[in-house]
Amino acid sequence: MRIVFMGPPGAGKGTQAALLSSALGIPHISTGDIFRANVTQGTPLGKEAQSYMDAGEYVPDGITNAMVRDRLTHDDARPGFILDGYPRTVEQVAELDAMLRSAGTKIDCVIELTVDVDAVVARLVRRSAEQGRTDDTEDVLRRRLEVYAEQTAPLIELYQSRNLLVQVDGLGEIEAVTAAILLAVNS
Ligand code: AMP
């Protein structure tokens, strides 16, 4: 199974993608997690990405696409994967299409976690305090939500037109959201 997770910052994509990854036995590939690991390790990729992340902007497509292209060639991703936080731009969709075409595979399902914006803000402010993330201050958060609305929300219609989109309410209890996602994925 090849699954894409979408939804605004704070929708719970990371939590749900990790749970689904365990349930299905396929890797959870989070571009945000990969960028953060590179920032922590002080790699050249991390140094390039950090200023964009700290400002709430997207890391340029060229950098992000190359990173995902590399990750998807790892053996563990051969039977399937859950992409969390990628693609986020129209150009990334085209690039992912090209990667999958050359591998002779395709996306099976795009899950959009839907949430109310006020609930998201409350969730992210709490997470910021818990995890010490520098990209969740209120100004940066507002910018992250704006960038999502401008650049990523249009992808929802695009995947809907391909009949791949499944919308799941992300605001329930974690277990209930996971159950709804599993139901959607299995049907
Ligand atoms: P996330 O944890 O998915 O919210 O990602 C944290 C940050 O990493 C984002 O605000 C972006 O700066 C960067 N990032 C993650 N995924 C992407 C992507 N697909 N395209 C561009 N930037 C990304």
Side-chain angles (χ1 to χ4, degrees):
M1 274 237 140
R2 293 173 184 83
I3 299 169
V4 167
F5 260 77
M6 292 191 53
K13 293 189 298 296
T15 303
Q16 292 299 334
L19 290 167
L20 195 64
S21 162
S22 309
L24 299 179
I26 50 178
H28 168 206
I29 301 176
S30 157
T31 43
D33 284 352
I34 301 174
F35 282 132
R36 278 185 289 278
N38 277 276
V39 169
T40 305
Q41 289 159 20
T43 68
L45 174 65
K47 289 194 174 103
E48 255 191 300
Q50 183 161 26
S51 58
Y52 297 102
M53 296 170 76
D54 284 348
E57 304 292 337
Y58 286 168
V59 177
D61 284 333
I63 298 173
T64 308
N65 286 333
M67 185 177 86
V68 173
R69 184 177 278 280
D70 173 72
R71 180 63 186 86
L72 292 187
T73 62
H74 294 196
D75 278 349
D76 66 338
R78 205 166 296 162
F81 49 76
I82 299 167
L83 279 175
D84 161 15
Y86 182 94
R88 264 171 147 117
T89 66
V90 173
E91 195 180 318
Q92 291 178 15
V93 172
E95 185 68 17
L96 177 62
D97 287 344
M99 288 179 220
L100 297 178
R101 206 179 308 118
S102 63
T105 58
K106 60 181 178 49
I107 293 296
D108 296 295
C109 171
V110 176
I111 295 166
E112 183 203 358
L113 286 181
T114 60
V115 284
D116 169 85
V117 169
D118 290 340
V120 157
V121 172
R123 216 186 238 194
L124 286 184
V125 168
R126 202 170 54 231
R127 184 175 74 183
S128 154
E130 285 165 7
Q131 300 182 352
R133 279 179 58 157
T134 50
D135 61 349
D136 278 349
T137 62
E138 197 163 340
D139 282 354
V140 176
L141 172 54
R142 207 168 292 129
R143 181 63 194 147
R144 273 156 51 78
L145 288 165
E146 257 173 39
V147 172
Y148 180 84
E150 283 163 15
Q151 301 204 45
T152 306
L155 273 49
I156 290 165
E157 253 178 59
L158 193 153
Y159 280 123
Q160 193 154 34
S161 72
R162 296 185 186 181
N163 282 326
L164 290 175
L165 188 74
V166 179
Q167 288 171 310
V168 174
D169 181 358
L171 274 187
E173 289 297 316
I174 289 180
E175 295 76 15
V177 176
T178 310
I181 292 171
L182 276 169
L183 197 68
V185 164
N186 288 324
S187 63

